[in-house]
Amino acid sequence: MKAAYIEQTGDPENIKYGDRPDPSIQEHDVLIEVAAVAVNPIDTYIRAGNIAMDLPLPYTPGCDFAGTVKDVGNQVTKYHVGDRAWGSNQGLFGKQGSFAELISVHEDWMYPIPEEASFEQAAAGALVSITAALGLTTHSHLAEGETLFINGGSGGVGSIVVQMAKAMGAHVITTAGSDVKADYCRSIGADLVLNYRDPEMDRQLQSHLDQNGKINFWWETLRSPDIARTIPFMEKRGRIVVMAGREAELLFPLGPFYVNDLKLIGFAMFNASATEQQEVACKINDFFKAGQLTIPIGKNLSLKDAALAHQLQEKKTLEGEADFHGKIILTP
């Protein structure tokens, strides 16, 4: 089979494309013929060696995939040859990744693709949708009628949170950095979009809350969160979720935090068990079926362009530079 792989961590140029052995499957594994994979920031961190992880060199990067079942292990009960399936969590903890024509996946870490979703949509939404659904349900239990605020509603996770929260009956406030991105946020359901570059943003937010009630759920995506700024906007017993900022050190007034019964919740998708991810994957499929979830795709490249895809993702993630909006998809 053909695959993208590295023989040592480092720059995107370390990614090679060529022949690799076909994967074998164990009794609970499924052999997937890959139709599409997505590029995520964590893929670039692992490839660069910025996240300490034992890698099986040569190593194939990639967490997300969508494809067709080609073979199954003799104990597999959930899938049959010809089924369409999607998933994430590949390329981690000693496993080879998804940037290949064929991959071996344990049946507990994959999910059926509903008829309403394409391979590209399923792959593009894998990691970001599981992250969004875990934060909204497993960790924070968003309820109908609550008000949710998320920084960056046009981003990879942000755009999914906006759509899911609206589908769950929330009033959604978000931010964007341009008129084009603001229009996109409104098109996917945001009730209020504020320009985070506007020095009057906090005043505009407060004016809206004065008329509509405070925020129950603040989803923070910034790499350097400002919790002190957040607290005054929060309703009693509100939840603040953080999912970014590995190097950030928070400083905020403890009194206003605890006397309002607030909760600060940090989580990483990869800590969720197979059972927890199966549960939210069912919810994600329901959103697809109901037409309530569309994943923005900005680039569709060939698998042989994996090095270029990593370059583009790094510039977008680390430097904020991109001439496209949405996920990068690779197809064999």
Side-chain angles (χ1 to χ4, degrees):
M1 69 169 185
K2 297 291 187 183
Y5 63 94
I6 61 171
E7 294 176 326
Q8 62 181 17
T9 58
D11 295 335
E13 290 76 15
N14 283 16
I15 299 177
K16 300 179 180 180
Y17 179 77
D19 293 319
R20 297 291 300 144
D22 289 358
S24 59
I25 58 173
Q26 304 300 315
E27 59 184 11
H28 287 284
D29 293 340
V30 175
L31 185 67
I32 298 289
E33 184 176 32
V34 174
V37 299
V39 185
N40 293 290
I42 193 169
D43 302 331
T44 68
Y45 304 155
I46 294 172
R47 182 224 72 236
N50 293 335
I51 295 179
M53 193 173 291
D54 290 331
L55 302 180
L57 298 172
Y59 166 74
T60 296
C63 291
D64 297 347
F65 70 89
T68 304
V69 174
K70 190 171 183 180
D71 196 8
V72 298
N74 57 24
Q75 295 297 312
V76 171
T77 60
K78 302 175 184 176
Y79 296 94
H80 303 88
V81 173
D83 288 348
R84 299 195 313 151
W86 67 276
S88 188
N89 284 271
Q90 303 309 298
L92 304 169
F93 312 118
K95 294 185 293 186
Q96 293 287 359
S98 59
F99 285 20
E101 292 178 327
L102 297 170
I103 60 174
S104 174
V105 182
H106 192 285
E107 65 175 330
D108 288 347
W109 293 97
M110 51 187 284
Y111 325 105
I113 299 176
E115 293 181 0
E116 293 80 1
S118 65
F119 285 124
E120 291 79 9
Q121 280 285 297
L127 183 149
V128 289
S129 293
I130 291 174
T131 299
L134 284 169
L136 291 172
T137 61
T138 307
H139 291 285
S140 301
H141 309 290
L142 178 69
E144 184 177 359
E146 289 192 313
T147 294
L148 176 145
F149 174 95
I150 179 165
N151 272 313
S154 67
V157 173
S159 61
I160 312 306
V161 170
V162 169
Q163 294 177 73
M164 288 186 180
K166 283 304 298 179
M168 295 167 70
H171 178 79
V172 178
I173 304 168
T174 191
T175 65
S178 70
D179 290 343
V180 171
K181 290 182 178 180
D183 287 343
Y184 169 73
C185 292
R186 294 185 191 97
S187 76
I188 58 174
D191 296 288
L192 174 67
V193 185
L194 301 170
N195 189 326
Y196 62 75
R197 302 182 192 278
D198 189 337
E200 294 294 305
M201 192 199 101
D202 282 9
R203 185 190 63 76
Q204 294 164 2
L205 175 58
Q206 186 59 62
S207 177
H208 180 81
L209 299 181
D210 288 342
Q211 300 178 46
N212 296 276
K214 290 190 172 184
I215 294 166
N216 306 101
F217 189 143
W218 183 292
W219 186 305
E220 186 57 82
T221 62
L222 300 183
R223 299 164 74 88
S224 297
D226 185 351
I227 303 301
R229 167 183 171 240
T230 299
I231 290 173
F233 298 124
M234 300 298 296
E235 182 61 86
K236 283 185 171 60
R237 300 198 172 181
R239 294 90 76 204
I240 303 168
V241 163
V242 292
M243 49 149 279
R246 287 174 179 269
E247 306 301 322
E249 295 185 7
L250 301 185
L251 179 66
F252 59 89
L254 187 59
F257 180 82
Y258 78 78
V259 299
N260 285 292
D261 293 1
L262 299 180
K263 293 181 175 67
L264 181 62
I265 303 167
F267 82 98
M269 169 214 174
F270 305 109
N271 294 331
S273 67
T275 299
E276 289 172 326
Q277 296 206 28
Q278 288 276 353
E279 290 174 353
V280 298
C282 290
K283 293 183 175 68
I284 292 164
N285 280 346
D286 287 342
F287 290 135
F288 274 130
K289 292 174 185 176
Q292 295 170 319
L293 181 61
T294 302
I295 317 300
I297 296 174
K299 291 281 186 183
N300 197 324
L301 305 174
S302 170
L303 186 60
K304 70 178 185 296
D305 297 319
L308 171 61
H310 270 229
Q311 291 173 352
L312 294 172
Q313 184 65 60
E314 282 189 337
K315 288 186 72 66
K316 183 179 183 183
T317 304
L318 302 179
E319 302 173 26
E321 294 182 10
D323 62 355
F324 63 95
H325 168 248
K327 299 287 292 185
I328 303 172
I329 295 298
L330 304 178
T331 53

